[in-house]
Amino acid sequence: MQKPEKFVCAGCTLLCDDIEIDPHAANGRPKNTCALGSQYFAQPLSSTQTHFVDGKAATLEQAVQSASQLLRESKSPLICGLDQLSTEAQQASWKIADIARATIDTTFTNRGRASIFSLQKTGKVTATLGEIKSRSDLVIFWFCDPEITHPRLLERINPQDTNRSQRILVVGDQETATTKIANRFIQVSPENAFELLVNVRNQLALLSNKPSSIPAKACVSDIEITANELVKELVCAKYGSIFHQQVTENSRFDPTSDSISQLIRSLNDITRFVGLKLRTDDNALSAENVLTWSSGFPFAVNHNLGHPRQHGLEFSAETMLQTQQCDAILFTSRLSLSELVRRLSGAARAHFQAIPKIAFSTHTIAANVQFQMGIPGINEAGERCRLDNLSLPLKKVESNDWVPPEAILEKIRQNLIAHS
Amino acid sequence: MESFLKLAGGTVIDPVSKMAGEARDIWIRGGKIVSPPTESVAHTTIDVSGRAVMAGAIDMHCHIAGPKVNTARKMEPEQQRSNPQSLSALEDGILHSGSLGSVPSIFTTGYRYTGLGYTTCFDAAIPPLAARHAHFEFEQIPNVDTGFFTMVGNNHYLMDCIARGDESGLQSFLGWLMNRVGAFAPKIVNPGGVELWKQSRNGNARDLGQKVDGFGVTPRQIIQSVTRAANALDLPHPVHIHTNNLGIPGNWETTLETLKALNGMRAHLAHIQFHSYGGGSEEETSLCSKVRVLAEYVNANPELTVDVGQVLFGETTSMTGDGPLGYYLQKVSGKKWYSADTELESGCGVSPIEYKNKNFIHALQWAIGLEWYLLVADPWQVAMSTDHPNGGSFLAYPQIIRLLMDREFRREMVAQLNPAVLKHSCLADLDREYTLSEIAVITRAGPARILGLKHKGHLGVGADADICVYEPNSNYQRMFELPYMVIKGGRVLVEDTEIRQTVEGKTLMANPSYDRHRNESIENWFSSHYSLQSEHYGIRDGNAFRRQFESVVPTKKSDS
Ligand code: SF4
Ligand SMILES: [Zn+2]
């Protein structure tokens, strides 16, 4: 019997790839998706691909011509929103950035990027989802709520082998959908999270290589007591895993990010431990990969001088817009323009509105040039990166003869080279 | 029809056709080397008289793509910043910008290999699950043909087959896997040891007879079974082995045991330098070279080959599929550390490292590498490698060539070492100097033969027109650092030491035929064990890849 074809859901960074679509059901209703995934697949689709130049429908060639012209006229273009593109289109974007001496970035915001800086400082100890499923006897959710953001995560890491138990622990500031199903919830305020980690790491350091002896020293403060509770859990694990997000994912800096990486690393002197960032930034991980193998740097890369430069967030999309250092923008977004603008910080917002815009978008958006793209995994194919850095091919559920972003970007690249 | 190109009057050094400096014309058409036309034909002539002509060089063991290589780049921005590479315009096209840390960005990797006369290279450690990522990176490497070895030494399916004594199952699985992920050869990394480290923090396989918990097989069985199956599948490069105990004092015994376990089968041991240490007590000065005894064994067994994994002094990055080794190295250095466990397959470790010539251990590692080149009698059994970037960058190859060809230079370098080294290494007693022909063997003809690439590594009729032309220079490092001309697939990429154009490379894969009856049960096993669907694994979805795949014909079949 022929097995039904499986599709990949891009509803969150788990990229569940066991989705079946019954072509006979009304609306092609997907099987195996969670509510979030069903919502994803239920997005309305445009029937035709239309590109626009200055608000008027244009042929692809005209739009490519105009976009290339804008890039040529720009002294400092910004390319961003790579998190919305496939690996292939991200690669094509970088090639344009290099030729056009542009600045290129993964997302529009400076927020939520602490984990890369931690990687650059401390490193990272991690594993694929299947490894966690088959080995992890203790799973900790650190300031995250996968039941809402990655609804099938627990199902996908829960061991099927009934002889094995997996303890679920949540550390966070409030009860959530995930705390309801956890074995234990350790409550700590975001303000105290860093101190908790310091305490945990200190207590672990005292243990050195003798995990059997929990420190006898009396714990005085509440935080010390909480830390001690956590330490007892940690050292009992054979293969622990920590899924984490920034304590405040919305902030620019997060002192706990380094601490979490250091904690996971040092736990490997006592037992085995791995960590995974529970990413919510679509295909940004793939964008970081592409930018890294192309330029050497994962994000916020500037090519103004003819070679790649990256210094923290000096050349991030948000900084470039805020400081008005770019004079044109090529971006990808699946948001409406008003929503996109709303999410930008004040100074960035004004500059974004003032400069020429080339947009790749799923729906009509006011820009000097707009290319219409499909919805990834529904009517647009392309590679994506799962949150554990596994590369997966998204397929089309609805066939169409649309020209995908990578092919359009390649046309722009060729146009730039031909006229340089 | 494509016209002829005549490379006229060069001093040809081609060990395969036994030419060691005869002046000879080489004719090229359609990307291949062809016989001189019997009648006069339209052609372009390039005069290379007075210059040395060799086949394009082949790096048979380096780390240039895939998640662990890319994470190394990602975690070391300070290295990328130190040596930025600029975008530059060619007559027809461009050279992309990039960065040249110990792990260069992908375009830079291609350009730099080209600049050294390398036209083919193999990434030595890609987990099957990372194959798609590796292929995406390969697509971007200009100018060089690439391939990868895929890690199988801790694979659960495979260990299960071995435990049941199911040799044909193992063979089918290897065949299925090579095809599915587009690999060139199976790679064994610390057999059993990576799995044991995933099981517990002190876990590792410390000798070949140790049982792997949960599977009941030993590293020796893994090595023997995989090598047997791979030879039976008639893979062009049957198996690439990084054996147990890398870097550990006293590990030479494990290495010798590994060589013996191979028992007449064709196999290759990787970065053998890191596996040739005597000593054993905790005292670090107990470390000493055991190359003589190991090289003697290799000399007596022509089916065995090694690459060296030469250490060079300076900053670099260690990266390995050997998870417990990665853990050990970062404990020693205290530097940042990346580790990733890959379900059912493998692990990995990445950490920055610096080799210093005054450091006893580092200096001894340097000497041990050179001993290997000088003590393996037949250069066809030893290939040049730095295990890039582990021992040092591939950019150091010209320096190694000088060290091998020029014993005075070697002595000068030895004089700068930590002097204790010479008590533990016989390097100072070795007077051997490599000839140009022998260099051609260890950098192209030998790797091609070891890899089963009949169409590469030589200048005979039918070979790929991958050619390198050097300006003779008594300083061999200079000579090999800046080839006068590099030709890839018949197209001149480097002329007068500068890159003039770029071409797309191909991806070389093994694609063996195997018994497909087991496919369904393999797929079923896959579905119940992996965190993804088998249809999304490897390159079954081949459409995603633009680059041309070339299946290399098995060795026996091409003989007949
Ligand atoms: S968990 Fe995420 S990827 Fe999986 S079905 Fe739900 S939305 Fe889709
Ligand atoms: Zn290696």
Side-chain angles (χ1 to χ4, degrees):
Chain A
M1 202 186 80
Q2 178 113 36
K3 287 190 191 138
E5 189 180 6
K6 310 276 180 168
F7 293 87
V8 183
C9 172
C12 74
T13 57
L14 259 188
L15 299 182
C16 298
D17 68 332
D18 58 350
I19 313 302
E20 292 173 18
I21 312 266
D22 178 358
H24 305 299
N27 220 343
R29 185 151 301 143
K31 263 185 17 201
N32 296 339
T33 47
C34 66
L36 192 61
S38 304
Q39 248 176 46
Y40 186 84
F41 279 100
Q43 292 177 85
L45 302 177
S46 314
S47 54
T48 51
Q49 186 181 30
T50 322
H51 311 298
F52 297 90
V53 175
D54 296 324
K56 293 193 207 69
T59 64
L60 177 58
E61 274 57 43
Q62 287 165 338
V64 164
Q65 186 62 38
S66 303
S68 312
Q69 185 67 25
L70 285 176
L71 288 172
R72 264 196 300 278
E73 283 163 9
S74 163
K75 288 200 173 58
S76 175
L78 170 65
I79 299 178
C80 73
L82 262 62
D83 56 342
Q84 300 306 321
L85 293 171
S86 65
T87 306
E88 297 90 332
Q90 290 163 347
Q91 183 70 62
S93 301
W94 180 80
K95 288 182 178 170
I96 291 177
D98 192 31
I99 296 165
R101 300 190 170 221
T103 302
I104 187 164
D105 200 5
T106 50
T107 66
F108 267 94
T109 170
N110 283 345
R111 296 158 204 272
R113 304 208 196 192
S115 66
I116 287 230
F117 294 120
S118 302
L119 170 75
Q120 296 180 337
K121 222 183 268 177
T122 308
K124 172 160 92 176
V125 184
T126 188
T128 61
L129 285 179
E131 203 72 277
I132 290 168
K133 175 176 175 163
S134 69
R135 297 187 200 271
S136 197
D137 51 348
L138 173 68
V139 177
I140 298 175
F141 294 110
W142 173 264
F143 282 86
C144 54
D145 187 11
E147 281 295 281
I148 300 300
T149 57
H150 298 71
R152 288 184 61 199
L153 177 66
L154 276 132
E155 163 211 324
R156 298 194 56 193
I157 59 171
N158 188 24
Q160 279 161 345
D161 174 357
T162 42
N163 296 324
R164 271 190 45 230
S165 67
Q166 189 182 62
R167 195 169 157 74
I168 309 280
L169 200 107
V170 177
V171 183
D173 61 337
Q174 54 187 345
E175 297 219 2
T176 61
T178 309
T179 59
K180 290 202 181 70
I181 51 150
N183 298 91
R184 185 169 186 189
F185 170 42
I186 295 182
Q187 195 163 16
V188 61
S189 70
E191 298 73 42
N192 284 336
F194 181 72
E195 209 191 324
L196 173 65
L197 285 173
V198 171
N199 268 283
V200 167
R201 292 181 53 216
N202 284 344
Q203 293 188 20
L204 284 170
L206 291 174
L207 280 179
S208 67
N209 287 332
K210 296 187 270 338
S212 50
S213 62
I214 302 294
K217 172 178 167 284
C219 298
V220 202
S221 68
D222 281 356
I223 266 294
E224 277 177 329
I225 294 166
T226 311
N228 192 251
E229 293 293 300
L230 194 49
V231 165
K232 284 183 200 157
E233 296 271 1
L234 295 172
V235 297
C236 289
K238 256 190 86 126
Y239 191 101
S241 51
I242 302 182
F243 287 87
H244 52 91
Q245 283 177 346
Q246 287 188 207
V247 164
T248 44
E249 187 64 15
N250 256 345
S251 70
R252 188 164 166 176
F253 295 110
D254 180 3
T256 65
S257 176
D258 288 352
S259 299
I260 281 281
S261 325
Q262 283 157 352
L263 171 65
I264 294 167
R265 176 177 176 158
S266 56
L267 277 165
N268 282 282
D269 296 335
I270 295 169
T271 179
R272 282 305 321 275
F273 248 91
V274 296
L276 262 179
K277 180 172 180 186
L278 205 52
R279 302 185 70 126
T280 51
D281 48 4
D282 294 308
N283 207 20
L285 175 53
S286 164
E288 288 164 7
N289 288 342
V290 170
L291 293 185
T292 301
W293 75 52
S294 303
S295 75
F297 305 104
F299 54 47
V301 196
N302 174 290
H303 298 82
N304 251 198
L305 300 181
H307 61 76
R309 286 186 300 159
Q310 183 261 344
H311 298 116
L313 295 169
E314 186 183 341
F315 303 116
S316 72
E318 185 171 342
T319 311
M320 293 297 283
L321 286 167
Q322 270 171 357
T323 55
Q324 311 193 351
Q325 288 188 79
C326 53
D327 59 4
I329 180 167
L330 185 162
F331 69 97
T332 307
S333 175
R334 290 197 284 134
L335 301 173
S336 68
L337 197 62
S338 55
E339 178 60 16
L340 180 62
V341 166
R342 196 185 63 77
R343 292 192 191 184
L344 293 173
S345 65
R349 192 177 299 162
H351 193 61
F352 176 77
Q353 284 173 317
I355 57 177
K357 287 178 270 298
I358 304 161
F360 280 80
S361 173
T362 45
H363 49 266
T364 314
I365 190 169
N368 301 64
V369 182
Q370 191 228 316
F371 296 100
Q372 189 172 12
M373 60 188 278
I375 298 176
I378 302 182
N379 61 348
E380 185 178 286
E383 199 78 3
R384 285 219 160 194
C385 223
R386 200 167 79 177
L387 53 81
D388 55 356
N389 207 7
L390 200 72
S391 192
L392 288 170
L394 267 61
K395 299 174 209 166
K396 284 182 190 178
V397 177
E398 301 276 330
S399 66
N400 57 16
D401 53 3
W402 290 23
V403 183
E406 60 273 23
I408 298 175
L409 289 161
E410 174 59 18
K411 283 177 192 287
I412 296 175
R413 185 186 77 89
Q414 281 172 2
N415 190 302
L416 290 177
I417 289 189
H419 295 89
S420 64
Chain B
M1 183 167 251
E2 221 174 314
S3 67
F4 286 87
L5 175 67
K6 177 183 170 188
L7 214 52
T11 309
V12 173
I13 296 155
D14 179 16
V16 173
S17 47
K18 307 228 161 21
M19 280 198 269
E22 291 88 323
R24 193 62 70 88
D25 297 339
I26 290 172
W27 287 82
I28 298 162
R29 189 160 80 154
K32 297 276 178 187
I33 294 174
V34 296
S35 323
T38 45
E39 46 206 78
S40 81
V41 288
H43 65 272
T44 315
T45 302
I46 301 176
D47 179 13
V48 292
S49 53
R51 298 190 165 108
V53 179
M54 293 188 187
I58 299 171
D59 194 343
M60 70 169 295
H61 187 116
C62 57
H63 301 272
I64 52 174
K68 96 174 136 2
V69 169
N70 209 37
T71 304
R73 296 181 186 113
K74 217 185 262 183
M75 76 196 268
E76 297 177 330
E78 59 284 353
Q79 284 206 23
Q80 326 297 346
R81 281 183 200 117
S82 66
N83 206 344
Q85 305 289 300
S86 287
L87 175 81
S88 60
L90 302 175
E91 204 165 288
D92 177 24
I94 51 156
L95 298 183
H96 276 297
S97 71
S99 50
L100 183 63
S102 61
V103 191
S105 55
I106 203 72
F107 296 94
T108 302
T109 302
Y111 305 145
R112 288 301 173 128
Y113 265 116
T114 309
L116 283 185
Y118 277 74
T119 48
T120 306
C121 27
F122 288 86
D123 189 288
I126 302 292
L129 255 180
R132 291 187 71 81
H133 175 137
H135 285 301
F136 272 104
E137 269 194 73
F138 276 179
E139 288 203 335
Q140 304 307 324
I141 302 181
N143 299 350
V144 281
D145 292 341
T146 54
F148 65 73
F149 312 146
T150 201
M151 295 198 276
V152 301
N154 292 274
N155 185 293
H156 288 196
Y157 188 94
L158 188 144
M159 289 192 287
D160 284 340
C161 284
I162 297 169
R164 327 186 269 274
D166 180 2
E167 299 242 337
S168 70
L170 172 54
Q171 234 185 77
S172 297
F173 177 72
L174 264 191
W176 175 84
L177 189 71
M178 294 291 110
N179 278 280
R180 176 57 72 88
V181 305
F184 188 77
K187 169 83 178 290
I188 297 175
V189 174
N190 187 358
V194 177
E195 168 59 27
L196 286 167
W197 187 67
K198 292 201 277 188
Q199 292 178 8
S200 100
R201 86 160 199 97
N202 285 316
N204 202 346
R206 296 188 175 79
D207 72 76
L208 295 193
Q210 184 183 332
K211 282 238 160 29
V212 181
D213 291 342
F215 296 89
V217 299
T218 64
R220 179 180 285 105
Q221 284 175 299
I222 297 172
I223 292 167
Q224 291 177 329
S225 308
V226 173
T227 308
R228 207 175 301 125
N231 275 285
L233 281 172
D234 200 14
L235 297 178
H237 181 57
V239 63
H240 202 90
I241 303 169
H242 151 161
T243 194
N244 307 72
N245 287 327
L246 186 150
I248 308 296
N251 65 7
W252 72 279
E253 286 176 286
T254 307
T255 310
L256 187 61
E257 284 299 303
T258 305
L259 292 167
K260 287 182 177 162
L262 292 164
N263 200 13
M265 292 185 285
R266 197 176 145 220
H268 179 87
L269 263 69
H271 37 66
I272 191 83
Q273 177 277 125
F274 289 110
H275 299 271
S276 311
Y277 308 151
S281 66
E282 293 306 306
E283 192 58 39
E284 74 171 33
T285 45
S286 74
L287 194 72
C288 63
S289 167
K290 284 287 179 182
V291 179
R292 263 191 201 285
V293 38
L294 293 171
E296 239 166 64
Y297 193 90
V298 170
N299 288 339
N301 292 276
E303 73 287 355
L304 298 173
T305 55
V306 301
D307 66 85
V308 172
Q310 178 69 37
V311 154
L312 292 129
F313 303 118
E315 277 187 1
T316 189
T317 306
S318 66
M319 54 174 70
T320 174
D322 189 338
L325 171 68
Y327 174 78
Y328 168 81
L329 290 174
Q330 60 87 28
K331 283 312 276 182
V332 174
S333 74
K335 295 186 175 170
K336 48 195 169 189
W337 171 45
Y338 170 70
S339 168
D341 295 342
T342 301
E343 63 204 61
L344 307 155
E345 295 181 349
S346 61
C348 103
V350 178
S351 202
I353 191 166
E354 185 177 358
Y355 291 105
K356 301 176 181 151
N357 63 354
K358 297 297 179 204
N359 173 304
F360 167 72
I361 293 179
H362 299 165
L364 186 59
Q365 289 178 305
W366 180 88
I368 288 173
L370 291 175
E371 281 186 33
W372 266 104
Y373 290 108
L374 299 170
L375 288 172
V376 172
D378 181 358
W380 290 93
Q381 284 178 270
V382 59
M384 182 175 293
S385 82
T386 57
D387 190 11
H388 164 83
N390 281 296
S393 168
F394 65 84
L395 294 170
Y397 290 158
Q399 191 192 6
I400 300 175
I401 291 176
R402 186 171 178 206
L403 284 165
L404 298 179
M405 295 190 72
D406 180 346
R407 70 177 154 243
E408 284 315 312
F409 174 63
R410 195 158 71 222
R411 283 189 184 128
E412 281 165 35
M413 295 286 279
V414 168
Q416 293 166 30
L417 298 181
N418 181 320
V421 164
L422 296 181
K423 293 199 212 95
H424 301 261
S425 154
C426 67
L427 183 62
D429 308 331
L430 301 175
D431 280 340
R432 181 170 167 194
E433 283 182 334
Y434 268 61
T435 63
L436 271 178
S437 289
E438 286 175 325
I439 292 296
V441 172
I442 65 170
T443 55
R444 47 266 280 165
R449 184 185 284 179
I450 296 167
L451 292 163
L453 296 171
K454 301 233 156 189
H455 58 313
K456 290 189 184 289
H458 68 97
L459 298 170
V461 169
D464 285 354
D466 297 352
I467 303 170
C468 200
V469 181
Y470 299 99
E471 194 73 59
N473 189 322
S474 57
N475 179 332
Y476 295 108
Q477 184 170 342
R478 292 277 160 281
M479 172 171 169
F480 282 91
E481 239 161 24
L482 280 179
Y484 170 76
M485 179 172 284
V486 179
I487 297 174
K488 174 82 188 69
R491 293 173 66 181
V492 179
L493 302 187
V494 172
E495 198 180 345
D496 211 357
T497 73
E498 275 180 25
I499 297 187
R500 308 284 173 167
Q501 66 167 328
T502 62
V503 294
E504 282 199 15
K506 283 182 272 197
T507 298
L508 306 172
M509 63 181 283
N511 206 5
S513 31
Y514 66 97
D515 176 9
R516 288 170 195 257
H517 286 103
R518 302 250 192 166
N519 278 11
E520 200 181 321
S521 73
I522 295 171
E523 301 271 352
N524 288 340
W525 175 85
F526 190 103
S527 306
S528 57
H529 287 80
Y530 273 85
S531 67
L532 75 162
Q533 303 295 314
S534 93
E535 65 192 88
H536 302 138
Y537 182 66
I539 57 166
R540 175 153 152 193
D541 169 38
N543 292 341
F545 302 100
R546 240 175 357 105
R547 210 177 198 229
Q548 192 186 333
F549 284 89
E550 182 176 313
S551 300
V552 174
V553 183
T555 47
K556 283 179 209 153
K557 294 203 179 93
S558 60
D559 277 345
S560 58

